[in-house]
Amino acid sequence: MTEHEAQSAAERDRAHEETGRKQPLKPAEGQPAAEAEPQHAVQENGEQVSTDVTPAGGPEAAIPELVIISGMSGAGRSTAAKCLEDLGWFVVDNLPPALIPTMVELGARSQGNVARIAVVVDVRGRRFFDNLRESLADLEAKHVTRRIVFLESSDEALVRRFESVRRPHPLQGDGRIVDGIAAERELLRELRGDADLVIDTSSLNVHELRAKMDAQFAGEEEPELRATVMSFGFKYGLPVDADLVADMRFLPNPHWVPELRPYTGLNEEVAAYVFNQPGAKEFLDRYAELLRLIAAGYRREGKRYVTIAIGCTGGKHRSVAMSEKLAARLAAEGVETVVVHRDMGRE
Protein backbone atom coordinates (compact mmCIF):
# COMPACT_ATOMS: atom_id res chain seq x y z
CA MET A 1 0.00 0.00 0.00
CA THR A 2 1.36 3.34 -0.96
CA GLU A 3 1.55 6.29 1.38
CA HIS A 4 -1.30 7.97 -0.52
CA GLU A 5 -3.51 4.87 -0.26
CA ALA A 6 -2.80 4.51 3.47
CA GLN A 7 -3.81 8.13 4.04
CA SER A 8 -7.04 7.61 2.07
CA ALA A 9 -7.90 4.49 4.08
CA ALA A 10 -7.35 6.34 7.38
CA GLU A 11 -9.65 9.15 6.25
CA ARG A 12 -12.35 6.60 5.35
CA ASP A 13 -12.04 4.98 8.79
CA ARG A 14 -12.46 8.35 10.52
CA ALA A 15 -15.51 9.10 8.37
CA HIS A 16 -17.10 5.76 9.33
CA GLU A 17 -16.49 6.47 13.01
CA GLU A 18 -18.12 9.90 12.74
CA THR A 19 -21.11 8.39 10.91
CA GLY A 20 -21.47 5.76 13.59
CA ARG A 21 -21.54 8.40 16.32
CA LYS A 22 -24.31 10.34 14.52
CA GLN A 23 -26.58 7.30 13.99
CA PRO A 24 -29.11 6.65 16.78
CA LEU A 25 -28.49 3.44 18.70
CA LYS A 26 -30.97 0.70 17.94
CA PRO A 27 -32.61 -0.68 21.08
CA ALA A 28 -31.93 -4.25 22.00
CA GLU A 29 -34.61 -6.73 21.08
CA GLY A 30 -37.50 -6.50 23.55
CA GLN A 31 -36.32 -3.21 24.97
CA PRO A 32 -38.36 0.03 24.42
CA ALA A 33 -36.84 2.61 22.16
CA ALA A 34 -35.37 5.63 23.90
CA GLU A 35 -37.30 8.87 23.54
CA ALA A 36 -36.05 10.99 20.70
CA GLU A 37 -34.14 14.10 21.60
CA PRO A 38 -36.16 17.26 20.88
CA GLN A 39 -35.11 18.83 17.62
CA HIS A 40 -34.13 22.42 18.23
CA ALA A 41 -32.76 23.22 14.81
CA VAL A 42 -32.89 22.09 11.20
CA GLN A 43 -30.56 22.79 8.34
CA GLU A 44 -32.03 25.02 5.65
CA ASN A 45 -30.05 26.46 2.76
CA GLY A 46 -26.86 25.98 4.72
CA GLU A 47 -28.17 27.93 7.72
CA GLN A 48 -29.36 26.73 11.10
CA VAL A 49 -33.04 27.59 11.68
CA SER A 50 -34.66 27.18 15.08
CA THR A 51 -37.88 25.15 15.27
CA ASP A 52 -38.57 25.98 18.91
CA VAL A 53 -41.81 28.00 19.06
CA THR A 54 -41.69 28.73 22.79
CA PRO A 55 -41.74 32.51 23.37
CA ALA A 56 -38.34 33.93 24.19
CA GLY A 57 -39.65 35.10 27.54
CA GLY A 58 -40.93 31.63 28.38
CA PRO A 59 -44.44 30.81 29.61
CA GLU A 60 -44.36 33.81 31.94
CA ALA A 61 -43.58 36.31 29.16
CA ALA A 62 -45.39 39.61 29.77
CA ILE A 63 -48.19 40.42 27.34
CA PRO A 64 -47.73 43.93 25.90
CA GLU A 65 -50.22 46.70 26.50
CA LEU A 66 -52.19 47.39 23.31
CA VAL A 67 -53.82 50.55 21.97
CA ILE A 68 -55.80 50.49 18.72
CA ILE A 69 -56.01 53.88 17.00
CA SER A 70 -58.79 54.35 14.49
CA GLY A 71 -61.31 56.92 13.38
CA MET A 72 -62.19 59.15 10.48
CA SER A 73 -59.69 59.77 7.70
CA GLY A 74 -58.35 63.29 8.19
CA ALA A 75 -59.22 63.38 11.89
CA GLY A 76 -55.61 63.07 13.08
CA ARG A 77 -54.81 59.37 13.39
CA SER A 78 -51.23 59.89 12.20
CA THR A 79 -50.68 62.68 14.73
CA ALA A 80 -52.05 60.52 17.55
CA ALA A 81 -49.82 57.62 16.49
CA LYS A 82 -46.76 59.85 16.28
CA CYS A 83 -47.46 61.14 19.78
CA LEU A 84 -47.50 57.60 21.19
CA GLU A 85 -44.32 56.80 19.28
CA ASP A 86 -42.66 59.79 20.92
CA LEU A 87 -43.79 58.43 24.29
CA GLY A 88 -41.97 55.16 23.64
CA TRP A 89 -44.74 53.03 22.17
CA PHE A 90 -44.03 50.59 19.33
CA VAL A 91 -46.33 51.90 16.58
CA VAL A 92 -47.52 49.95 13.53
CA ASP A 93 -49.43 51.93 10.90
CA ASN A 94 -52.18 50.39 8.75
CA LEU A 95 -51.79 46.86 10.11
CA PRO A 96 -54.45 44.44 8.82
CA PRO A 97 -56.72 43.70 11.80
CA ALA A 98 -56.25 39.94 11.38
CA LEU A 99 -52.56 40.38 12.25
CA ILE A 100 -53.09 42.24 15.53
CA PRO A 101 -53.00 39.08 17.71
CA THR A 102 -49.80 38.02 15.91
CA MET A 103 -48.26 41.42 16.65
CA VAL A 104 -49.09 41.00 20.33
CA GLU A 105 -47.52 37.52 20.34
CA LEU A 106 -44.33 38.89 18.83
CA GLY A 107 -44.28 41.59 21.49
CA ALA A 108 -44.62 38.93 24.20
CA ARG A 109 -41.54 37.18 22.78
CA SER A 110 -39.43 40.33 22.97
CA GLN A 111 -38.42 39.76 26.61
CA GLY A 112 -39.92 43.08 27.64
CA ASN A 113 -38.39 45.12 24.84
CA VAL A 114 -41.85 45.77 23.34
CA ALA A 115 -44.06 46.43 26.34
CA ARG A 116 -46.52 48.83 24.68
CA ILE A 117 -47.90 48.47 21.14
CA ALA A 118 -50.07 50.95 19.24
CA VAL A 119 -51.76 49.79 16.03
CA VAL A 120 -53.38 52.17 13.52
CA VAL A 121 -56.42 50.58 11.83
CA ASP A 122 -58.23 52.47 9.10
CA VAL A 123 -60.23 52.06 5.91
CA ARG A 124 -57.11 51.79 3.78
CA GLY A 125 -57.23 48.18 4.92
CA ARG A 126 -60.97 47.88 4.36
CA ARG A 127 -60.81 44.40 2.83
CA PHE A 128 -59.32 43.23 6.14
CA PHE A 129 -61.59 45.40 8.28
CA ASP A 130 -64.20 42.69 8.73
CA ASN A 131 -61.58 40.68 10.63
CA LEU A 132 -61.30 43.32 13.36
CA ARG A 133 -64.21 42.01 15.41
CA GLU A 134 -62.74 38.50 15.34
CA SER A 135 -59.31 39.80 16.34
CA LEU A 136 -60.75 41.77 19.27
CA ALA A 137 -62.58 38.66 20.47
CA ASP A 138 -59.32 36.69 20.22
CA LEU A 139 -57.49 39.33 22.28
CA GLU A 140 -60.21 39.29 24.92
CA ALA A 141 -60.03 35.49 25.16
CA LYS A 142 -56.27 35.78 25.76
CA HIS A 143 -56.83 38.45 28.45
CA VAL A 144 -54.90 41.08 26.52
CA THR A 145 -55.42 44.59 27.88
CA ARG A 146 -56.46 46.68 24.91
CA ARG A 147 -57.90 50.16 24.46
CA ILE A 148 -59.47 51.76 21.42
CA VAL A 149 -58.84 55.43 20.67
CA PHE A 150 -61.24 56.85 18.08
CA LEU A 151 -60.49 60.14 16.31
CA GLU A 152 -63.67 62.00 15.34
CA SER A 153 -64.30 65.20 13.42
CA SER A 154 -67.19 67.07 11.83
CA ASP A 155 -67.99 66.71 8.14
CA GLU A 156 -67.16 70.37 7.55
CA ALA A 157 -63.73 70.06 9.15
CA LEU A 158 -62.92 66.87 7.22
CA VAL A 159 -63.97 68.36 3.87
CA ARG A 160 -61.85 71.42 4.57
CA ARG A 161 -58.81 69.29 5.40
CA PHE A 162 -59.10 67.09 2.32
CA GLU A 163 -59.56 70.12 0.09
CA SER A 164 -56.55 71.85 1.62
CA VAL A 165 -54.25 68.94 0.72
CA ARG A 166 -56.04 68.31 -2.61
CA ARG A 167 -56.38 64.61 -2.00
CA PRO A 168 -59.46 62.41 -2.44
CA HIS A 169 -61.12 60.59 0.42
CA PRO A 170 -60.15 56.88 0.47
CA LEU A 171 -63.79 55.81 0.03
CA GLN A 172 -65.21 58.48 -2.27
CA GLY A 173 -64.55 56.57 -5.49
CA ASP A 174 -66.17 58.47 -8.36
CA GLY A 175 -68.29 60.51 -5.95
CA ARG A 176 -67.61 63.54 -3.79
CA ILE A 177 -65.61 63.87 -0.60
CA VAL A 178 -68.82 63.98 1.45
CA ASP A 179 -69.86 60.64 -0.07
CA GLY A 180 -66.63 59.06 1.12
CA ILE A 181 -67.04 60.57 4.59
CA ALA A 182 -70.59 59.22 4.87
CA ALA A 183 -69.47 55.73 3.80
CA GLU A 184 -66.63 55.78 6.30
CA ARG A 185 -68.88 56.88 9.18
CA GLU A 186 -71.18 53.96 8.48
CA LEU A 187 -68.27 51.52 8.30
CA LEU A 188 -66.80 52.73 11.60
CA ARG A 189 -70.08 53.18 13.49
CA GLU A 190 -69.77 49.99 15.55
CA LEU A 191 -66.09 50.55 16.33
CA ARG A 192 -66.84 54.08 17.54
CA GLY A 193 -69.40 52.67 19.94
CA ASP A 194 -66.80 50.31 21.41
CA ALA A 195 -64.13 53.00 21.78
CA ASP A 196 -62.62 53.65 25.21
CA LEU A 197 -61.61 57.19 24.25
CA VAL A 198 -63.23 59.41 21.59
CA ILE A 199 -61.41 62.63 20.68
CA ASP A 200 -63.19 65.23 18.58
CA THR A 201 -60.55 67.10 16.59
CA SER A 202 -62.91 69.44 14.71
CA SER A 203 -61.57 72.52 16.47
CA LEU A 204 -58.15 71.18 17.51
CA ASN A 205 -54.84 71.96 15.90
CA VAL A 206 -51.94 69.49 15.86
CA HIS A 207 -50.46 70.81 19.11
CA GLU A 208 -53.79 70.61 20.97
CA LEU A 209 -54.33 67.03 19.81
CA ARG A 210 -50.85 66.07 20.97
CA ALA A 211 -51.58 67.70 24.33
CA LYS A 212 -54.71 65.56 24.69
CA MET A 213 -52.81 62.38 23.87
CA ASP A 214 -50.02 63.34 26.26
CA ALA A 215 -52.55 63.95 29.02
CA GLN A 216 -53.99 60.46 28.55
CA PHE A 217 -50.86 58.39 27.96
CA ALA A 218 -47.81 60.22 29.30
CA GLY A 219 -48.31 59.29 32.94
CA GLU A 220 -46.17 56.49 34.32
CA GLU A 221 -49.07 55.03 36.25
CA GLU A 222 -52.43 54.51 34.60
CA PRO A 223 -55.25 55.93 36.76
CA GLU A 224 -58.42 53.97 37.25
CA LEU A 225 -60.58 56.59 35.55
CA ARG A 226 -59.91 59.88 33.79
CA ALA A 227 -62.60 62.47 33.26
CA THR A 228 -62.88 65.52 31.04
CA VAL A 229 -65.47 68.03 32.18
CA MET A 230 -66.36 70.28 29.25
CA SER A 231 -68.50 73.40 29.30
CA PHE A 232 -70.17 74.32 26.02
CA GLY A 233 -72.87 76.46 24.47
CA PHE A 234 -75.91 74.79 22.94
CA LYS A 235 -76.05 77.44 20.24
CA TYR A 236 -72.67 76.16 18.99
CA GLY A 237 -73.77 72.53 18.91
CA LEU A 238 -73.37 69.48 21.12
CA PRO A 239 -69.85 68.08 21.66
CA VAL A 240 -69.73 64.93 19.54
CA ASP A 241 -67.29 63.20 21.91
CA ALA A 242 -69.45 63.66 25.02
CA ASP A 243 -70.44 60.55 26.99
CA LEU A 244 -72.80 62.47 29.30
CA VAL A 245 -74.57 65.80 28.72
CA ALA A 246 -76.22 68.03 31.34
CA ASP A 247 -78.25 71.18 30.61
CA MET A 248 -77.85 74.25 32.86
CA ARG A 249 -80.51 76.30 31.09
CA PHE A 250 -82.91 75.62 33.97
CA LEU A 251 -80.97 78.28 35.91
CA PRO A 252 -81.38 82.07 35.39
CA ASN A 253 -78.88 83.43 32.88
CA PRO A 254 -76.28 85.92 34.24
CA HIS A 255 -76.18 87.35 30.72
CA TRP A 256 -79.25 89.38 31.62
CA VAL A 257 -77.55 90.92 34.65
CA PRO A 258 -75.69 93.96 33.22
CA GLU A 259 -72.88 94.01 35.76
CA LEU A 260 -72.21 90.25 35.25
CA ARG A 261 -72.59 90.07 31.48
CA PRO A 262 -68.95 90.91 30.58
CA TYR A 263 -67.55 88.22 32.86
CA THR A 264 -67.46 84.42 32.67
CA GLY A 265 -68.26 81.61 35.05
CA LEU A 266 -64.68 81.75 36.28
CA ASN A 267 -65.49 85.04 37.97
CA GLU A 268 -66.34 84.67 41.67
CA GLU A 269 -69.34 86.97 41.47
CA VAL A 270 -70.78 85.09 38.49
CA ALA A 271 -70.24 81.74 40.21
CA ALA A 272 -71.87 83.03 43.40
CA TYR A 273 -74.86 84.29 41.40
CA VAL A 274 -75.26 80.88 39.68
CA PHE A 275 -75.06 78.83 42.89
CA ASN A 276 -77.38 81.14 44.81
CA GLN A 277 -80.17 80.22 42.38
CA PRO A 278 -82.76 77.63 43.49
CA GLY A 279 -81.76 74.14 42.40
CA ALA A 280 -78.09 74.87 41.57
CA LYS A 281 -76.50 73.34 44.65
CA GLU A 282 -79.02 70.49 44.68
CA PHE A 283 -78.15 69.69 41.07
CA LEU A 284 -74.43 69.66 41.85
CA ASP A 285 -74.90 67.32 44.81
CA ARG A 286 -77.19 64.88 43.03
CA TYR A 287 -75.29 64.88 39.75
CA ALA A 288 -72.03 64.21 41.60
CA GLU A 289 -73.76 61.30 43.34
CA LEU A 290 -75.00 59.99 40.00
CA LEU A 291 -71.48 60.23 38.56
CA ARG A 292 -70.13 58.18 41.46
CA LEU A 293 -72.55 55.42 40.49
CA ILE A 294 -71.66 55.69 36.79
CA ALA A 295 -67.91 55.83 37.50
CA ALA A 296 -68.10 52.60 39.48
CA GLY A 297 -69.82 50.94 36.53
CA TYR A 298 -67.26 52.31 34.09
CA ARG A 299 -64.45 50.85 36.19
CA ARG A 300 -66.13 47.45 36.28
CA GLU A 301 -66.50 47.51 32.52
CA GLY A 302 -62.89 48.59 32.00
CA LYS A 303 -63.78 52.03 30.63
CA ARG A 304 -60.97 54.41 31.51
CA TYR A 305 -62.11 57.73 30.03
CA VAL A 306 -65.31 59.74 30.30
CA THR A 307 -66.25 63.12 28.86
CA ILE A 308 -68.93 65.00 30.78
CA ALA A 309 -70.42 67.93 28.89
CA ILE A 310 -72.16 70.75 30.81
CA GLY A 311 -74.08 73.13 28.59
CA CYS A 312 -75.85 76.47 28.74
CA THR A 313 -76.95 78.87 26.01
CA GLY A 314 -73.59 80.38 25.09
CA GLY A 315 -71.11 78.34 27.14
CA LYS A 316 -69.94 81.40 29.04
CA HIS A 317 -71.56 81.67 32.47
CA ARG A 318 -73.67 78.86 33.95
CA SER A 319 -71.97 75.90 32.27
CA VAL A 320 -68.50 77.24 33.11
CA ALA A 321 -69.31 77.79 36.78
CA MET A 322 -70.94 74.35 37.12
CA SER A 323 -68.09 72.60 35.27
CA GLU A 324 -65.52 74.06 37.64
CA LYS A 325 -67.43 72.96 40.75
CA LEU A 326 -68.16 69.49 39.35
CA ALA A 327 -64.53 68.94 38.34
CA ALA A 328 -63.41 69.88 41.85
CA ARG A 329 -65.83 67.31 43.30
CA LEU A 330 -64.53 64.56 41.01
CA ALA A 331 -60.90 65.41 41.75
CA ALA A 332 -61.61 65.28 45.49
CA GLU A 333 -62.96 61.74 45.01
CA GLY A 334 -59.78 60.54 43.30
CA VAL A 335 -60.83 60.90 39.67
CA GLU A 336 -58.12 62.49 37.52
CA THR A 337 -59.99 65.39 35.94
CA VAL A 338 -59.34 67.91 33.18
CA VAL A 339 -61.57 70.95 32.63
CA VAL A 340 -62.15 72.29 29.11
CA HIS A 341 -64.25 75.39 28.35
CA ARG A 342 -65.00 74.82 24.67
CA ASP A 343 -66.94 77.94 23.81
CA MET A 344 -65.84 80.46 26.42
CA GLY A 345 -64.61 83.57 24.61
CA ARG A 346 -66.41 82.91 21.33
CA GLU A 347 -68.82 85.81 21.84
Side-chain angles (χ1 to χ4, degrees), residues 36-43 47-54:
E37 287 291 326
Q39 186 177 4
H40 293 289
V42 296
Q43 201 76 11
E47 296 182 0
Q48 206 172 35
V49 180
S50 173
T51 59
D52 188 359
V53 296
T54 303

Side-chain angles (χ1 to χ4, degrees), residues 79-319:
T79 299
K82 180 62 177 175
C83 182
L84 290 185
E85 189 174 22
D86 293 342
L87 292 173
W89 290 67
F90 185 86
V91 178
V92 184
D93 191 11
N94 197 25
L95 183 72
L99 296 181
I100 294 177
T102 303
M103 191 71 236
V104 173
E105 272 189 48
L106 293 174
R109 295 180 183 213
S110 69
Q111 298 181 321
N113 292 323
V114 181
R116 298 183 297 176
I117 298 174
V119 175
V120 181
V121 178
D122 55 54
V123 293
R124 286 178 292 170
R126 53 190 177 277
R127 61 178 175 171
F128 304 102
F129 204 81
D130 292 339
N131 297 328
L132 180 59
R133 180 60 55 190
E134 183 179 344
S135 293
L136 293 178
D138 186 16
L139 294 171
E140 185 174 353
K142 294 177 179 177
H143 306 290
V144 176
T145 301
R146 58 90 177 153
R147 287 170 288 169
I148 299 175
V149 177
F150 192 94
L151 280 299
E152 175 67 276
S153 195
S154 66
D155 288 2
E156 294 79 6
L158 294 176
V159 169
R160 186 170 62 251
R161 291 168 189 172
F162 276 106
E163 288 181 342
S164 67
V165 296
R166 299 182 180 179
R167 295 186 62 186
H169 188 280
L171 295 185
Q172 77 178 74
D174 296 330
R176 301 176 300 161
I177 293 176
V178 291
D179 298 326
I181 293 173
E184 187 177 33
R185 283 200 190 281
E186 184 60 31
L187 181 64
L188 298 177
R189 185 180 303 279
E190 187 175 353
L191 181 61
R192 187 190 188 284
D194 290 340
D196 298 281
L197 174 63
V198 177
I199 300 178
D200 178 21
T201 66
S202 301
S203 58
L204 299 180
N205 59 36
V206 173
H207 305 293
E208 290 169 334
L209 175 55
R210 289 184 66 91
K212 277 184 171 286
M213 292 295 294
D214 284 341
Q216 301 296 343
F217 294 99
E220 294 182 359
E221 296 184 359
E222 196 71 24
E224 287 190 353
L225 183 67
R226 283 175 170 162
T228 297
V229 180
M230 177 188 299
S231 68
F232 73 97
F234 278 96
K235 70 179 182 179
Y236 300 113
L238 287 170
V240 297
D241 54 345
D243 296 297
L244 303 167
V245 178
D247 186 355
M248 296 298 101
R249 291 176 296 183
F250 72 92
L251 298 172
N253 192 348
H255 175 81
W256 302 115
V257 180
E259 59 269 25
L260 299 180
R261 182 180 301 177
Y263 302 105
T264 71
L266 298 177
N267 178 271
E268 292 183 4
E269 293 183 1
V270 172
Y273 175 87
V274 170
F275 283 97
N276 282 331
Q277 303 304 319
K281 293 178 181 177
E282 290 81 0
F283 171 85
L284 177 62
D285 292 338
R286 295 186 184 183
Y287 197 57
E289 183 178 353
L290 176 63
L291 290 178
R292 280 194 290 273
L293 176 65
I294 294 174
Y298 279 166
R299 291 187 180 100
R300 288 193 299 269
E301 293 300 313
K303 185 175 175 66
R304 300 168 186 262
Y305 314 100
V306 59
T307 298
I308 305 162
I310 308 293
C312 62
T313 303
K316 180 180 179 181
H317 296 111
R318 294 164 290 181
S319 63

